[in-house]
Amino acid sequence: MNTFLRLLRPGLLAVVSLVLATTVWAQSTMVRLHTTQGPIDIQLYDTAAPKTVANFLSYVRSGAYADNFIHRSVPGFVVQLGGYAWPASGYAGHITTLPPVVNEFSVTRSNVRGTVAMAKLGGDPNSATSEFFFNLGNNASNLDTQNGGFTVFGRVTTPGMAVVDRIAALSTVNAGGAFTNLPVVNFSGSTILREHVVRLTEVTEFPPLSAQSDSDRVFNYLEAAYPQYLSPAHGQAGVASGYTFRYYAGSNAYVATANAKVWYLLPSISPDIGLLGDTASWLNVAAQAGY
């Protein structure tokens, strides 16, 4: 039981030292990309890029991004997705797109590390549809100055960037066409299969912060920061014996709040409930990371 607690506390200390939350984040929409490499949470710039955010959420809410896969990864530059689907029934090509969205680039939202921006056609600033990318480095000198600038419409949370970096570290293969820099997992043969690509299993939209309980905010943060223990990263919620909890079938683990404390339970290891700390401290950590 103490092993789980020891593994969480170093992360707690590291995150506390990063003051990343802003008023803008607190007022923005957050979505979670559930990928086969872990959850990626994005804080959207609803007010600063309203048309781009509305376009992105249209794809999210329609389910268009389900079974999408990351089709481009260039070290130190970008990781790109939003275009191509590979459901269980077989590779399905490019998803159906909505009409292009008007470019909303602004120098106040630069293409720096951790930001999310729309991909588009060369020579047409207003051609963005479904594809988007994560900036792995400071690409401002390049992407802010060409083709009308690439519209940044959100930022990845700190735990989410750890997953993005994990994807960026994967080997890539040249599969031709749009897939000249295709990241692959456990691939050593000549035929790329569905299990070799990094897929989105689903995309969920969090309720506004004003509609979330303190427990929700702490749980959402813990899921993103420690997906290896809280898997899948959207646990079954419930209330029992005074505890507000989420259960994670993938790891057979519980996290819960009660009496202003955060608790955990790993039934496969021990029947005893362990203490992670007080809710106020974890809520502060979550807020610093944008939750």
Side-chain angles (χ1 to χ4, degrees):
M1 295 295 285
N2 290 333
T3 300
F4 184 61
L5 181 58
R6 288 197 302 270
L7 288 169
L8 287 180
R9 288 204 183 281
L12 167 61
L13 295 174
V15 174
V16 167
S17 67
L18 299 175
V19 183
L20 296 176
T22 65
T23 301
V24 173
W25 278 34
Q27 296 174 346
S28 68
T29 301
M30 179 183 284
V31 298
R32 171 167 289 171
L33 310 184
H34 301 267
T35 84
T36 52
Q37 292 293 304
I40 303 173
D41 293 339
I42 305 173
Q43 287 279 1
L44 302 178
Y45 295 153
D46 305 63
T47 301
K51 294 178 181 178
T52 307
V53 168
N55 173 74
F56 177 73
L57 288 176
S58 293
Y59 289 101
V60 169
R61 292 166 180 169
S62 70
Y65 287 142
D67 286 315
N68 205 269
F69 65 95
I70 294 174
H71 68 272
R72 183 183 182 218
S73 177
V74 181
F77 184 42
V78 300
V79 166
Q80 187 169 331
L81 65 161
Y84 301 88
W86 202 330
S89 57
Y91 173 69
H94 204 287
I95 67 172
T96 301
T97 59
L98 301 171
V101 61
V102 64
N103 192 34
E104 292 183 300
F105 171 75
S106 170
V107 293
T108 63
R109 289 176 280 107
S110 190
N111 282 270
V112 296
R113 174 173 164 79
T115 57
V116 189
M118 296 302 299
K120 53 188 174 178
L121 301 176
D124 187 351
N126 300 308
S127 60
T129 54
S130 66
E131 294 187 30
F132 59 98
F133 58 86
F134 304 113
N135 281 296
L136 297 175
N138 186 344
N139 297 320
S141 61
N142 178 8
L143 300 184
D144 287 5
T145 59
Q146 62 163 295
N147 202 7
F150 286 78
T151 299
V152 169
F153 65 96
R155 177 177 289 274
V156 182
T157 65
T158 305
M161 273 308 291
V163 177
V164 173
D165 287 338
R166 188 180 308 136
I167 294 169
L170 294 172
S171 299
T172 61
V173 296
N174 184 347
F179 312 121
T180 55
N181 298 96
L182 178 68
V184 290
V185 181
N186 298 325
F187 175 71
S188 58
S190 58
T191 302
I192 299 171
L193 304 176
R194 183 172 183 258
E195 59 262 32
H196 296 138
V197 298
V198 180
R199 293 181 295 106
L200 302 187
T201 56
E202 63 176 310
V203 182
T204 56
E205 181 181 349
F206 290 160
L209 280 180
S210 59
Q212 294 184 37
S213 67
D214 289 350
S215 297
D216 288 331
R217 294 174 62 190
V218 171
F219 296 159
N220 289 340
Y221 167 74
L222 289 173
E223 289 171 353
Y226 305 102
Q228 66 271 46
Y229 306 116
L230 307 180
S231 174
H234 49 102
Q236 178 182 350
V239 177
S241 302
Y243 291 91
T244 298
F245 70 88
R246 290 186 187 176
Y247 172 66
Y248 304 89
S251 51
N252 189 26
Y254 294 82
V255 291
T257 56
N259 303 317
K261 304 289 185 182
V262 181
W263 309 85
Y264 69 96
L265 174 64
L266 298 174
S268 61
I269 297 177
S270 170
D272 299 324
I273 297 174
L275 176 65
L276 286 179
D278 64 272
T279 303
S281 294
W282 278 108
L283 188 61
N284 180 62
V285 172
Q288 298 292 339
Y291 296 83

